[in-house]
Amino acid sequence: MINAYILIDVRKGYTEKVVNELKPIDEIELLSVVTGEFDIIIRVSVKDLETLYYLMVNKIDPIKGVNETITSVITSDFK
Amino acid sequence: MIILTNINKASTRSSLSKRLLFYTLALTSALFSASFVVLDTYISIHVLPDPYLFAQMSWITGSILIIAMMLIFSIPKRSIGKRHIPIGSFLDPNFKRLHIPEWDVLKFVLLGGAFMSFSTLFYFKLIEKFDASTFVPLMSFVIIYLIIGDFIIEKDNPTIIEIQAIIAIIAGIFISSLSQGEFDLESVMITLVIMNGLAAGVTISHKKATQWLDPISNKPLDSVTIRLYSVLIATVINTIVFLLVTNEEQKLIFKQEFWNSFLPVTASMALATLSYILFIRALRMGKMSIVNSLRSFSVIIAIPLTMIANFIYPQYVPFNFGGTTGIILKSIGAVLVLAGMISLAVSDVRVLALIKVSENGLSEIENIANLKGVTRVSALAGKYDMLVTIRTRSIGKGYRQTIRKIKEIPTIKEVITTTILKEWN
């Protein structure tokens, strides 16, 4: 399994819309609306990197209001 | 495209937030706990008055029950590719079929089971002499032991809000028990010192077990497996005590009453098992003192449950309202417990810290994981090197206890902190 964090910068006024479109995506383990440099941080769990690619290009990037994403694959988890 | 089809076929994710899930688990555990205490009162009076027989019967039925549950839960519910998702995953998403856990974690499970066994013996000994309502509320004072335990295990001293909330809950439970109008020094001392000591031992051991992660799958040990091995070791210990302590006449009564008592004791143990599985899941998610505070809500739930049971079967389940004073005291107690629980529920802040490190900076990851309030550290590939999840009662405390200490590490180049406003999982 591949776990990753995706940091999402959202266009002003679109946060709720983006959250509502992200919520039904099954691969998202955790969805947090945050303050600061980014607007939303999600933790995803997928079978492999190819699935992560399809998740990004087919499900997350097309959401209207998503400005920029930074994907960081988790190499190891502590706790 | 095949991959996408599989994604779409996957089940819909629960909309419960993590915090709501935590409180739901702890409070449902309290509900089951209150139900089995009411049922135990009936069994101890009318079915198996001898505490050793009752304890032995409980552990035997408990063992049969948890083995049966483990086998049923292992049946595949659905398959995703080659992976079979067992039925038990609905009770605990980390559920793994029947297996022997590694010794690193099994030792804590068995230790907890041993404490459980002795705790049950004292519980039945007390229930033989005293009405459960006179000493069960005092068992909630175990929270004080657990605050100390949290301080040692999680290196986290309680905040003022936590102390206020826990005091409100303990006071509420104590006032509710005052309405029962009966106090006995012996039962109070046995409960406060021995029962609570053993209960703290159970919680601390099982908390340690829940913190273990499988080195390959990175998943924790599931709550059904923890319950299984705890019950099995408790049954072994209890059987030894039973064989040593009881006389021939008691053993004969045990054989004679086995099938008569089988159904009610199994029902009680089914409730106890469900209560404990949910309790362990909640324990994995939160502090021991908080989980036990929430679970002690069972004392308040037990009041209406006992009233209903008394209304339906007055001859089997006694209930003393304590007149108008008793009802007022119970109401004040319930309000205090609720106030404490609400204040706990609304005072939780989560912070994420994105970290960039210099060369070899990742070697500090374990030190960061051990800082107060840190619930998870993920090593990342990409723009940032680490993401630290921090849970705290206030942003100020999170900064003082965690962020400032992370920034003090020489290999940390940059820390970006973000506060979580709302979270779904």
Side-chain angles (χ1 to χ4, degrees):
Chain A
M1 291 298 283
I2 302 277
N3 295 308
Y5 281 104
I6 302 171
L7 318 171
I8 306 172
D9 177 41
V10 179
R11 212 162 98 196
K12 199 177 166 188
Y14 277 80
T15 306
E16 199 172 340
K17 184 188 175 299
V18 174
V19 165
N20 288 335
E21 294 208 26
L22 288 171
K23 271 189 203 170
I25 299 175
D26 196 58
E27 290 77 6
I28 297 177
E29 281 189 339
L30 199 62
L31 192 166
S32 309
V33 175
V34 297
T35 60
E37 205 167 302
F38 305 96
D39 302 291
I40 295 169
I41 296 180
I42 56 174
R43 184 184 163 106
V44 297
S45 183
V46 289
K47 196 174 73 178
D48 48 32
L49 286 172
E50 194 182 357
T51 317
L52 181 61
Y53 168 75
Y54 283 121
L55 177 71
M56 289 303 301
V57 297
N58 290 333
K59 291 190 174 183
I60 296 173
D61 283 346
I63 297 173
K64 200 176 172 189
V66 171
N67 262 349
E68 191 191 338
T69 57
I70 294 175
T71 305
S72 296
V73 172
I74 299 169
T75 51
S76 61
D77 262 326
F78 290 79
K79 283 202 174 180
Chain B
M1 285 305 110
I2 293 166
I3 296 164
L4 284 179
T5 313
N6 284 339
I7 290 165
N8 292 332
K9 278 181 182 172
S11 68
T12 310
R13 183 167 295 278
S14 163
S15 58
L16 278 180
S17 76
K18 205 166 186 178
R19 189 194 292 180
L20 183 59
L21 177 65
F22 171 69
Y23 286 97
T24 306
L25 288 170
L27 293 176
T28 313
S29 170
L31 178 64
F32 285 130
S33 181
S35 308
F36 83 73
V37 168
V38 174
L39 195 53
D40 281 355
T41 307
Y42 158 74
I43 297 169
S44 66
I45 296 170
H46 299 283
V47 184
L48 279 174
D50 187 317
Y52 294 110
L53 270 54
F54 192 177
Q56 181 62 10
M57 190 65 198
S58 295
W59 287 122
I60 287 179
T61 55
S63 295
I64 297 169
L65 198 72
I66 191 70
I67 292 168
M69 279 169 92
M70 180 56 100
L71 295 174
I72 293 166
F73 287 168
S74 297
I75 298 169
K77 181 176 68 173
R78 61 192 170 91
S79 300
I80 298 175
K82 285 182 181 174
R83 207 156 58 96
H84 300 290
I85 308 293
I87 291 176
S89 62
F90 85 94
L91 207 57
D92 187 338
N94 295 304
F95 178 77
K96 200 175 164 185
R97 284 174 209 159
L98 185 61
H99 69 288
I100 299 172
E102 285 185 31
W103 177 245
D104 279 353
V105 62
L106 188 61
K107 64 186 178 191
F108 291 117
V109 175
L110 296 179
L111 187 64
F115 281 126
M116 263 166 75
S117 172
F118 291 111
S119 171
T120 309
L121 275 170
F122 278 102
Y123 169 74
F124 286 119
K125 194 74 192 158
L126 281 172
I127 217 169
E128 177 198 31
K129 285 177 79 175
F130 309 100
D131 178 5
S133 60
T134 62
F135 67 88
V136 168
L138 298 171
M139 286 162 72
S140 300
F141 282 82
V142 69
I143 296 162
I144 293 163
Y145 290 66
L146 295 174
I147 291 173
I148 301 165
D150 276 329
F151 182 72
I152 296 165
I153 291 180
E154 299 201 354
K155 298 169 281 300
D156 192 1
N157 48 336
T159 60
I160 294 293
I161 297 166
E162 285 173 340
I163 290 173
Q164 283 171 344
I166 288 168
I167 287 172
I169 291 171
I170 293 174
I173 292 158
F174 196 71
I175 290 170
S176 296
S177 68
L178 274 179
S179 58
Q180 308 299 330
E182 288 174 36
F183 266 103
D184 179 276
L185 189 64
E186 186 191 349
S187 76
V188 169
M189 290 315 290
I190 291 175
T191 310
L192 287 181
V193 180
I194 302 173
M195 293 287 289
N196 285 346
L198 291 167
V202 175
T203 309
I204 292 169
S205 306
H206 285 167
K207 175 71 183 178
K208 292 290 282 179
T210 62
Q211 287 177 327
W212 176 86
L213 286 175
D214 187 304
I216 299 164
S217 66
N218 208 28
K219 281 188 171 183
L221 188 64
D222 68 273
S223 48
V224 183
T225 303
I226 292 178
R227 176 71 185 176
L228 172 74
Y229 287 98
S230 308
V231 168
L232 291 182
I233 190 71
T235 307
V236 170
I237 293 170
N238 205 86
T239 304
I240 295 166
V241 174
F242 176 78
L243 292 172
L244 291 174
V245 172
T246 55
N247 56 37
E248 288 308 311
E249 192 189 348
Q250 283 174 303
K251 290 184 181 83
L252 187 68
I253 295 169
F254 181 75
K255 281 180 194 165
Q256 286 169 346
E257 293 297 321
F258 187 87
W259 291 112
N260 287 339
S261 59
F262 188 79
L263 203 61
V265 178
T266 304
S268 169
M269 283 309 280
L271 292 166
T273 302
L274 287 171
S275 170
Y276 208 78
I277 287 171
L278 299 179
F279 169 70
I280 293 169
R281 279 195 65 192
L283 205 55
R284 191 182 295 142
M285 299 170 76
K287 279 189 195 175
M288 297 185 294
S289 51
I290 307 290
V291 177
N292 273 270
S293 299
L294 295 172
R295 201 181 183 219
S296 62
F297 191 54
S298 62
V299 176
I300 303 296
I301 305 171
I303 296 168
L305 284 180
T306 313
M307 280 170 72
I308 294 165
N310 174 262
F311 181 73
I312 301 168
Y313 302 109
Q315 69 277 34
Y316 294 130
V317 184
F319 183 71
N320 176 22
F321 283 88
T324 314
T325 315
I327 292 169
I328 292 169
L329 285 170
K330 281 186 177 75
S331 306
I332 293 170
V335 169
L336 274 170
V337 171
L338 278 173
M341 283 173 25
I342 290 167
S343 87
L344 277 178
V346 298
S347 62
D348 194 28
V349 180
R350 277 177 169 260
V351 175
L352 295 176
L354 288 155
I355 298 172
K356 285 183 185 175
V357 298
S358 57
E359 214 174 315
N360 297 327
L362 278 174
S363 57
E364 295 288 346
I365 203 160
E366 282 193 49
N367 294 334
I368 293 174
N370 288 327
L371 286 174
K372 283 177 189 172
V374 172
T375 55
R376 178 152 64 186
V377 185
S378 303
L380 307 175
K383 186 177 178 183
Y384 298 98
D385 301 303
M386 273 187 238
L387 190 142
V388 183
T389 310
I390 301 151
R391 194 171 62 192
T392 175
R393 286 280 166 207
S394 69
I395 295 173
K397 186 182 174 187
Y399 175 74
R400 282 192 307 276
Q401 286 190 337
T402 321
I403 304 293
R404 196 163 64 186
K405 291 195 174 154
I406 292 173
K407 285 182 173 174
E408 283 169 5
I409 298 170
T411 51
I412 301 293
K413 267 170 44 184
E414 189 183 338
V415 181
I416 295 172
T417 52
T418 64
T419 306
I420 297 175
L421 300 172
K422 195 161 168 59
E423 194 170 57
W424 296 265
N425 72 339

